[in-house]
Amino acid sequence: MNRQVLLRKRSGSDKEFFFQDWMQERLKEVVGDHYSDVGRNGYPDFVLSDSAEGYELKGLSLPGRPTIDSNSRFPQAMHRGRQIYYVFGRYPQTSDLSLGLSDLLICHASFINATAADPKNKSFLGYGSYGDLMVRDRKMYVFPLPFYTASGTVGNRTLILPDYSPVDDRLECVGELVRREVERLLVGYTFDFRSNTLTPEFTTNPQAGREHRFRAYRLAGQSGEAVTLTDSREVLEEALEAGDEV
């Protein structure tokens, strides 16, 4: 971004690949060919060959909604022995084939979710008049964009890591963030086809109140606001009340 390397769309209809292409070129600059592209339906999008790290990419146009969909993929700090990092790049909504990033946020997945569970998609047969329709329970997870969880990130380039992560003098700490686990955990849900009601099931969280500490960084000498934690649930509730799409 400092060198103003632009995103380049493959065509006028490209709404998905150009941010991944940009990120792939950055990986090549750093690690050469020592990475793998997991593929469109894989998770995460890229994994390193010589380090137990993976990167899940989310490119978004502005202005956008305060949440993002994660189709069947539960955000996990670890996946198949790899530390997972989410990379959020936002750019202006334009018909131009070349455009610059407006902001960039890279965060360890545990900043989004610290739970290790990975619920699977399941299905059953027997629905419909003749009992030969299959119902597939394919989950869609929707979570707040970290731009709304951590203020001071909009318009900036920010890295958020667990506080125990080693860094060097190229980075400067611009905020310390603490997320606390909730009192209740969602452990299941039921759906009633007759009334079209979805009923969640909760249990007490044995780690309620546990603190997960993070630090926000920027390149040393780079200007930008200090990063502080916001109430993401409050942000989403305000967006719903205002009629914004969530």
Side-chain angles (χ1 to χ4, degrees), residues 48-135:
L48 301 187
S49 304
D50 299 334
S51 180
E53 293 183 10
Y55 298 90
E56 177 72 1
L57 275 56
K58 301 292 183 183
L60 307 153
S61 62
L62 290 170
R65 37 185 269 211
T67 61
I68 190 165
D69 296 340
S70 183
N71 190 4
S72 300
R73 292 298 182 182
F74 192 71
Q76 293 178 281
M78 293 286 295
H79 182 72
R80 296 182 178 177
R82 297 181 183 273
Q83 300 278 342
I84 304 301
Y85 298 84
Y86 275 70
V87 183
F88 300 91
R90 301 198 299 180
Y91 39 80
Q93 190 170 18
T94 174
S95 59
D96 295 342
L97 294 182
S98 298
L99 60 161
L101 280 172
S102 301
D103 42 31
L104 181 70
L105 195 157
I106 303 175
C107 69
H108 193 270
S110 61
F111 184 69
I112 301 170
N113 172 64
T115 305
D118 185 18
K120 307 300 181 184
N121 292 329
K122 297 291 183 178
S123 60
F124 60 88
L125 184 66
Y127 189 59
S129 301
Y130 307 111
D132 56 359
L133 299 183
M134 180 177 290
V135 176

Side-chain angles (χ1 to χ4, degrees), residues 3-21:
R3 291 184 283 117
Q4 298 182 337
V5 178
L6 298 178
L7 307 169
R8 300 192 184 278
K9 297 180 181 179
R10 299 182 183 183
S11 67
S13 61
D14 182 4
K15 297 180 180 180
E16 177 181 357
F17 296 107
F18 58 95
F19 179 60
Q20 292 207 356
D21 292 343

Side-chain angles (χ1 to χ4, degrees), residues 35-232:
Y35 75 95
S36 298
D37 181 348
V38 177
R40 187 170 185 177
N41 295 320
Y43 180 85
D45 293 304
F46 297 105
V47 296
L48 301 187
S49 304
D50 299 334
S51 180
E53 293 183 10
Y55 298 90
E56 177 72 1
L57 275 56
K58 301 292 183 183
L60 307 153
S61 62
L62 290 170
R65 37 185 269 211
T67 61
I68 190 165
D69 296 340
S70 183
N71 190 4
S72 300
R73 292 298 182 182
F74 192 71
Q76 293 178 281
M78 293 286 295
H79 182 72
R80 296 182 178 177
R82 297 181 183 273
Q83 300 278 342
I84 304 301
Y85 298 84
Y86 275 70
V87 183
F88 300 91
R90 301 198 299 180
Y91 39 80
Q93 190 170 18
T94 174
S95 59
D96 295 342
L97 294 182
S98 298
L99 60 161
L101 280 172
S102 301
D103 42 31
L104 181 70
L105 195 157
I106 303 175
C107 69
H108 193 270
S110 61
F111 184 69
I112 301 170
N113 172 64
T115 305
D118 185 18
K120 307 300 181 184
N121 292 329
K122 297 291 183 178
S123 60
F124 60 88
L125 184 66
Y127 189 59
S129 301
Y130 307 111
D132 56 359
L133 299 183
M134 180 177 290
V135 176
R136 184 183 181 194
D137 179 35
R138 186 179 183 185
K139 302 165 188 64
M140 172 70 78
Y141 302 99
V142 182
F143 58 87
L145 282 172
F147 292 104
Y148 294 88
T149 309
S151 66
T153 55
V154 173
N156 291 307
R157 305 159 222 180
T158 311
L159 172 67
I160 298 177
L161 299 175
D163 66 350
Y164 54 78
S165 303
V167 299
D168 58 34
D169 57 8
R170 291 176 295 177
L171 296 174
E172 177 182 356
C173 181
V174 292
E176 297 192 2
L177 315 172
V178 181
R179 303 206 71 182
R180 294 177 177 84
E181 295 199 25
V182 293
E183 296 291 331
R184 300 188 304 159
L185 290 178
L186 180 68
V187 293
Y189 59 86
T190 56
F191 182 79
D192 190 317
F193 287 94
R194 297 161 298 183
S195 60
N196 287 318
T197 54
L198 190 67
T199 305
E201 178 186 351
F202 293 92
T203 189
T204 301
N205 182 4
Q207 299 191 109
R210 179 187 176 189
E211 295 184 345
H212 297 266
R213 296 180 174 272
F214 303 88
R215 290 195 178 108
Y217 298 94
R218 293 204 184 96
L219 289 175
Q222 190 177 83
S223 61
E225 307 167 64
V227 177
T228 58
L229 197 68
T230 60
D231 187 338
S232 56

